[in-house]
Amino acid sequence: MLISLFKNSNVQNKNLLIYGEDAFLNDYLIRDYLNNSEFKGLDLQRIDCENDGLDELLASLTEASLFSQQKIIWVKNPIFLTGKSPKKLQANIAKLEKVFANLTLSDDIVIMQANYANLDKRKKITKLSLSAFNSVEVQFKPYEVSGVIKAIIKDEGYSIAQNTLHLLLERSDQVMDTALSNYLKLKLIADDNEKITLESVQNNVDLSLAQNIFEILSSAFKKNYQESLERLEDQLREGQNPVRILSVFENQLEVILSAKILLARKRSEMDIGKELGIHPYRVKLAKQTQVSVSKLKRLLLEAIKLDQGYKNGTYQGDEFIKMFLLAI
């Protein structure tokens, strides 16, 4: 089961609480959990606490299933675990506390999906939930996305070479939801050996906006202005606007600048990735960029000024962002 990839997972406890702000990943982990052969044939009930209310949840927790002796209750948006639950829910929350305190006496299996960055661990109901359920915190740093995706691929019986994984993550902007979604697409077209190939990533996963922008900057850094402008025009034709593009320019210039400063201090690529909250591969790309720190500082300031000019109406049209590239 994929939940075993995350710390503190106790698979002996069938009642599951998954919490963390990545809703797509949480949902994927729960669907994988439900594929467990032990749960085959059980009645599955889904309850959304924000839409259905706690009365329906309490009814499901305390009533017998019409179809079997045992049922699974999939609880989404358990707002009572956060500090945002309204006071009008207090009576029902008190009832829930009694149910959770005696959860081991029930034959039913309860799965709670809390797509929240943080739970309110001061609340009694939260403390009870964390102790009564197999509580799995799905949290990770940006530089850990690679390891999580690689572990999921391996756990599901597929294989991927390191350079192929790097390309997949590049084209996914190192974002978990995007990387997982792209992996699912690649899984469907994997060969008979269940191997995800470099060619399949190249042919089926498009360059992300950030990667396209990086290529625009890279061409300009190499004085290949024609290629840089052509790539920029492609992005403009696809509906990107100068403000959006400049925002990515600023982010990438800032990352390259920060990485170069830290590299000059003899910091390792892994340590820099952790400090900046990025994948170490981006640090490697920054290291390979042949631009001085002083020039990067100047370009970053110019990009910020240009961005402000577009936002306040001083600049309009595409020619100003093109002039910025030509001046690199």
Side-chain angles (χ1 to χ4, degrees), residues 213-274:
I213 300 301
F214 186 82
E215 293 298 328
I216 292 171
L217 276 176
S218 296
S219 298
F221 286 147
K222 296 171 185 174
K223 307 300 181 185
N224 191 344
Y225 296 117
Q226 182 176 348
E227 179 182 334
S228 182
L229 289 174
E230 286 174 355
R231 287 181 178 274
L232 174 62
E233 287 169 353
D234 285 342
Q235 292 304 303
L236 293 168
R237 276 195 296 271
E238 290 177 11
Q240 300 297 341
N241 60 63
V243 172
R244 178 93 185 274
I245 292 172
L246 279 166
S247 175
V248 182
F249 275 159
E250 291 165 34
N251 175 265
Q252 294 192 350
L253 288 168
E254 188 173 8
V255 167
I256 296 170
L257 174 60
S258 301
K260 280 188 170 289
I261 290 172
L262 292 172
L263 284 165
R265 297 174 183 171
K266 307 301 182 184
R267 300 284 294 279
S268 71
E269 292 175 10
M270 182 62 73
D271 286 344
I272 294 171
K274 289 180 180 179

Side-chain angles (χ1 to χ4, degrees), residues 6 16 67 72 106 109 116 169 176 189 193 198 224 228 230 236 248 252 265 275 287 297:
F6 297 89
L16 176 66
F67 304 103
I72 300 174
S106 173
I109 296 164
Y116 310 119
L169 291 168
M176 175 58 75
I189 57 175
N193 296 321
L198 185 65
N224 191 344
S228 182
E230 286 174 355
L236 293 168
V248 182
Q252 294 192 350
R265 297 174 183 171
E275 184 160 338
K287 186 178 181 180
K297 288 180 179 178

Side-chain angles (χ1 to χ4, degrees), residues 90-102:
Q90 289 308 310
N92 277 337
I93 289 175
K95 294 176 183 177
L96 277 176
E97 288 171 357
K98 293 180 180 178
V99 173
F100 290 166
N102 297 284

Side-chain angles (χ1 to χ4, degrees), residues 96-273:
L96 277 176
E97 288 171 357
K98 293 180 180 178
V99 173
F100 290 166
N102 297 284
L103 203 57
T104 55
L105 302 178
S106 173
D107 291 328
D108 294 334
I109 296 164
V110 184
I111 299 171
M112 287 204 292
Q113 180 179 351
N115 302 326
Y116 310 119
N118 296 294
L119 304 182
D120 189 345
K121 296 181 180 179
R122 300 167 299 176
K123 298 173 70 171
K124 182 180 178 181
I125 185 70
T126 307
K127 292 176 181 177
L128 276 170
S129 299
L130 291 171
S131 61
F133 289 76
N134 174 16
S135 302
V136 180
E137 183 179 11
V138 184
Q139 299 281 25
F140 44 84
K141 305 294 184 183
Y143 58 84
E144 296 174 321
V145 170
S146 175
V148 175
I149 287 292
K150 186 175 182 179
I152 289 174
I153 292 172
K154 182 179 179 182
D155 189 85
E156 294 190 340
Y158 289 80
S159 63
I160 187 169
Q162 196 64 28
N163 62 330
T164 306
L165 179 63
H166 275 155
L167 182 61
L168 171 60
L169 291 168
E170 275 184 56
R171 295 197 175 187
S172 304
D173 277 347
Q174 315 292 337
V175 175
M176 175 58 75
D177 281 7
T178 310
L180 184 57
S181 178
N182 284 329
Y183 158 61
L184 295 181
K185 179 167 60 175
L186 294 166
K187 189 166 70 167
L188 293 174
I189 57 175
D191 60 25
D192 293 338
N193 296 321
E194 297 188 329
K195 181 178 181 180
I196 296 170
T197 65
L198 185 65
E199 183 180 16
S200 68
V201 176
Q202 291 170 334
N203 294 338
N204 297 284
V205 181
D206 294 332
L207 290 174
S208 67
L209 173 61
Q211 195 172 13
N212 274 307
I213 300 301
F214 186 82
E215 293 298 328
I216 292 171
L217 276 176
S218 296
S219 298
F221 286 147
K222 296 171 185 174
K223 307 300 181 185
N224 191 344
Y225 296 117
Q226 182 176 348
E227 179 182 334
S228 182
L229 289 174
E230 286 174 355
R231 287 181 178 274
L232 174 62
E233 287 169 353
D234 285 342
Q235 292 304 303
L236 293 168
R237 276 195 296 271
E238 290 177 11
Q240 300 297 341
N241 60 63
V243 172
R244 178 93 185 274
I245 292 172
L246 279 166
S247 175
V248 182
F249 275 159
E250 291 165 34
N251 175 265
Q252 294 192 350
L253 288 168
E254 188 173 8
V255 167
I256 296 170
L257 174 60
S258 301
K260 280 188 170 289
I261 290 172
L262 292 172
L263 284 165
R265 297 174 183 171
K266 307 301 182 184
R267 300 284 294 279
S268 71
E269 292 175 10
M270 182 62 73
D271 286 344
I272 294 171

